[in-house]
Every structure is written in structure tokens, then in C-alpha cells.
Amino acid sequence: MPTDPPPGGPPGGLLVPAQPANPGGPANPAQSINPAQPANPAPSTEAAPPPKQPKPARTAPPRPFPPLLTAATAAAVLVASLAAAVRIGTADIGWGDLARVLATHLGLDVEPLPPLVDSLIWDLRLPRVLMAALVGASLAVCGAVLQAVTRNALADPYLLGVSSGASTGAVTVVVLGIGAGTLGVTGGALAGALLAFGLLLLLLRRTGLDSVRIVLTGVVVGQLLTALTSLVLMASADADTTRAVTHWLLGSMAPARWSTVMVCAIVTPLGLTVAWLCSNALDGLAFGTDTAASLGIGVRHTRMLLLVVTAALTAVAVATVGAIGFVGLIVPHGVRFLVGPLHRALLPYAALAGAVFLVWTDALARIAFAPREVPVGVITALLGVPLFLLVLRRRGEL
């Protein structure tokens, strides 16, 4: 006979066995008592010391290279590149020949080389490599300055329309014959570049020198002058003239002579010095107009000064050797990746790197399809595109 469940028991008549009383045991039956310790140890009045954290291993910070040593090394690389580039070409020139030519023209008592070899080295090769170094330094520094002034990573020396103005001036002299007797191709290109920069400033006189307006106005001026150049070529030039002008527009160091080298040797150091003296202002402008103004920088006057400097350097470079692209775009990015964004170090190393890059690029243009010479602007474009993609990849922007 089933028994009734006890009062308060589970429903359904199920009997639950009684749990034995364990007043001194643990609350959780799964816990066991260690016989070596008392069941209820007295709480300690002293706080347990915190566990010791392992000390991080000390690593010595990387030692930067001494600035003088780095500068001396970079200058030695440039001098070695100039000397090696003089020897590169279809004619075989040895180190002894180069040394004898230099000693002869320095007035030292050495046996001179035959006139043909002497003229090849002194009148053709040396002006060419020196011009490549000066133009490469100018374009690289102009690119670094304009990238800070406009806060545009894609800014290059031809952003202001100066290159297009130089092309229009050169085409006007060659095709139309305007000013051919007084200016020549170099003078016409320089006049066209300065007129293009004047047009840019005229369009910006009321809107201000805002970075976005500088970029947009420079693109407009460049496109206008490019259209004028094409119109003059299509309307008045024959096939031979068009071929010659096109070769000049792609950039070539072949017209370099000592007279043009002297002009670049005067303008380039002056422009680079002014840009370097504005290094702190460039650091501020790279962070924006408000930041630069809060640091006490006269934004409008500084921008105007830097635009004039970059326009003058670009105008002289384009007038002497034509438009050479990608040097002012890729070299500042590569140097910035190596030495950092501060312009006090960026500008000198960009000048050295641009000079070395263009010297070797011009040497490659001479021997790549020898005896035919390729315009150096073609080689810089072929090398510049993959190098620029590599820089973007290393910066994490691609």
C-alpha cells in the first residue's frame, strides 16, 4: 500500500532520501578537505603580497647614423655616380682618360688627350651628367615642397602648369619663329614657363592661395597651354619639326652645354637654399593652414615665396632639358620613407637622391637602345611607375 508523502515533500509520491547533516563540511560536496589543513582556517590579518611581474627586457634604441657621416656618404655616392656616368656610352672611356681631361682643364702639367677624346669628355659627357644632377635635385626638391604646400601626395613640379608653359614657349620659337633670333629654344621655354606662372597668380589673386585652389588652377592653366601647344603643332609644323619638338618635350640631356649648366648651377643652389630655410614652415604647412597659423607662420607669404621658388627651379629645368616626369613624384616619397617627414632632413637628401636617380637614368637612356638614344623622360616613366607602386605598398596605401 503506497504511503503518503511527508508534508512539504515532492509531489507525485516520490520519496527523496534524506541528506546527512554536515554542518562543518564545505558548501559544495565536490570540494574535499585537506587533512593537513584545518577545516575552517582563521582568516589572515596580513594582505598577501602581489605577485611579482616579470621585468620587460631592456632593448637599446636604434642608434641613428651621425648626420655628418650620412651626408658625407651620400655626397660620395653622388660623386662616384657622376664619374661612372661619364664613362658610360658608345665610346669607351677609361678612368685614366677622365682624370687626364680634368687635370688638363684644371691647368695641371699632364699630357693632354687627343682633341676628339678631350671634346667628347669635356664638351659632351661632363656637361650632360652635371646637368642631370642639377635637374634631378631641382625636381625632387620641388616635388617635396609642393607636396607639403598643397597637402597633396600626388603633387609634382609640373602641377603649376609651368611645364606646359615652357612647352608652348619652345614650340612658338621653333615652329612660328617668334623670338628665334633673340631668345632661342631655351629662352622661349623659360619665357613661356614664367608667363604660365604669372597667369596662375593672376587667377589666384582674389581667391587666395588655398591648397585646393592652387591644384585646380594649375591643372586648368596646364591644360590650356597644352591645347595651345598641340594647336600650333597641328597647324604650322611639318613632320620633321613635330618629331624634333616631341623629342624635346619628352626630355633629353643631349642639349646640355656648359652655358646652360652654369645657369642651372646658379639658380638651383639658390632655390634649394631658400626652400631649406623654410623647412619649419613646410613642417607646419604639411599639417594644415590652421596648424601653421597657430605656430606663427605667415601662411600666405610663405606659400607665395615657395611657389615662386618652385616655379623658377622648374622653369629653368624644363627650359634646358624639357619635361621629365616622375622624378619629383617618386623621389620625395622614397626619401620620406627612409629619413622621415621633417623637411630639414628631407630636402637635402631628396636633392641628393634626385641627382643620383636622374644621372643613372640618363646613363641608361644612352645605352639601352644604342646607338639610338631614348628620351630620358621615357625611362623615368618606365622606372617611376613600379617604384611609385612599391612606395605606396610599403606605406600601406595600396
Side-chain angles (χ1 to χ4, degrees), residues 224-391:
L224 172 64
L225 295 174
T226 300
L228 290 176
T229 302
S230 302
L231 180 62
V232 171
L233 284 176
M234 295 297 295
S236 304
D238 54 14
D240 294 334
T241 305
T242 302
R243 188 180 302 109
V245 170
T246 304
H247 190 276
W248 181 87
L249 293 177
L250 292 175
S252 176
M253 299 294 167
R257 296 295 182 269
W258 283 112
S259 58
T260 54
V261 170
M262 292 303 296
V263 174
C264 287
I266 295 172
V267 175
T268 300
L270 290 176
L272 300 188
T273 302
V274 173
W276 185 78
L277 292 176
C278 298
S279 298
N280 294 332
L282 286 170
D283 293 335
L285 290 173
F287 287 99
T289 304
D290 296 335
T291 303
S294 65
L295 295 174
I297 299 172
V299 176
R300 183 177 178 84
H301 294 88
T302 304
R303 274 181 172 167
M304 176 62 71
L305 175 62
L306 292 172
L307 289 179
V308 170
V309 169
T310 54
L313 291 174
T314 307
V316 172
V318 176
T320 51
V321 299
I324 301 174
F326 277 96
V327 178
L329 180 62
I330 62 172
V331 172
H333 284 293
V335 176
R336 191 179 290 111
F337 178 77
L338 294 175
V339 304
L342 296 180
H343 289 81
R344 186 168 293 275
L346 174 63
L347 295 182
Y349 286 110
L352 290 171
V356 172
F357 176 75
L358 197 55
V359 164
W360 284 109
T361 306
D362 178 60
L364 180 61
R366 294 201 304 267
I367 64 174
F369 298 94
R372 179 175 297 178
E373 181 179 327
V374 180
V376 68
V378 176
I379 304 297
T380 57
L382 292 175
L383 296 177
V385 171
L387 288 177
F388 186 65
L389 294 178
L390 179 61
V391 170

Side-chain angles (χ1 to χ4, degrees), residues 60-345:
R63 281 181 149 187
F65 291 104
L68 292 178
L69 178 61
T70 307
T73 304
V77 170
L78 176 59
V79 173
S81 299
L82 292 174
V86 172
R87 297 183 62 242
I88 296 175
T90 55
D92 188 15
I93 295 175
W95 292 106
D97 298 334
L98 176 60
R100 287 171 62 185
V101 167
L102 292 176
T104 300
H105 288 273
L106 289 176
L108 301 179
D109 187 14
V110 295
E111 183 182 357
L113 289 174
L116 183 61
V117 179
D118 183 89
S119 178
L120 173 65
I121 297 175
W122 183 258
D123 296 327
L124 296 179
R125 295 279 181 87
L126 275 174
R128 181 169 187 147
V129 296
L130 291 175
M131 179 65 73
L134 292 170
V135 171
S138 297
L139 295 180
V141 170
C142 289
V145 170
L146 288 176
Q147 287 166 11
V149 170
T150 62
R151 300 186 65 199
N152 187 348
L154 298 179
D156 68 347
Y158 308 126
L159 181 70
L160 306 178
V162 173
S163 173
S164 301
S167 303
T168 304
V171 168
T172 302
V173 172
V174 173
V175 178
L176 301 181
I178 299 176
T182 56
L183 294 177
V185 178
T186 302
L190 183 60
L194 296 179
L195 288 176
F197 183 67
L199 178 60
L200 175 72
L201 295 182
L202 182 64
L203 295 175
L204 290 173
R205 71 187 189 282
R206 292 185 179 179
T207 58
L209 296 177
D210 182 70
S211 58
V212 177
R213 292 188 178 92
I214 292 173
V215 174
L216 295 179
T217 309
V219 171
V220 170
V221 171
Q223 292 297 322
L224 172 64
L225 295 174
T226 300
L228 290 176
T229 302
S230 302
L231 180 62
V232 171
L233 284 176
M234 295 297 295
S236 304
D238 54 14
D240 294 334
T241 305
T242 302
R243 188 180 302 109
V245 170
T246 304
H247 190 276
W248 181 87
L249 293 177
L250 292 175
S252 176
M253 299 294 167
R257 296 295 182 269
W258 283 112
S259 58
T260 54
V261 170
M262 292 303 296
V263 174
C264 287
I266 295 172
V267 175
T268 300
L270 290 176
L272 300 188
T273 302
V274 173
W276 185 78
L277 292 176
C278 298
S279 298
N280 294 332
L282 286 170
D283 293 335
L285 290 173
F287 287 99
T289 304
D290 296 335
T291 303
S294 65
L295 295 174
I297 299 172
V299 176
R300 183 177 178 84
H301 294 88
T302 304
R303 274 181 172 167
M304 176 62 71
L305 175 62
L306 292 172
L307 289 179
V308 170
V309 169
T310 54
L313 291 174
T314 307
V316 172
V318 176
T320 51
V321 299
I324 301 174
F326 277 96
V327 178
L329 180 62
I330 62 172
V331 172
H333 284 293
V335 176
R336 191 179 290 111
F337 178 77
L338 294 175
V339 304
L342 296 180
H343 289 81
R344 186 168 293 275

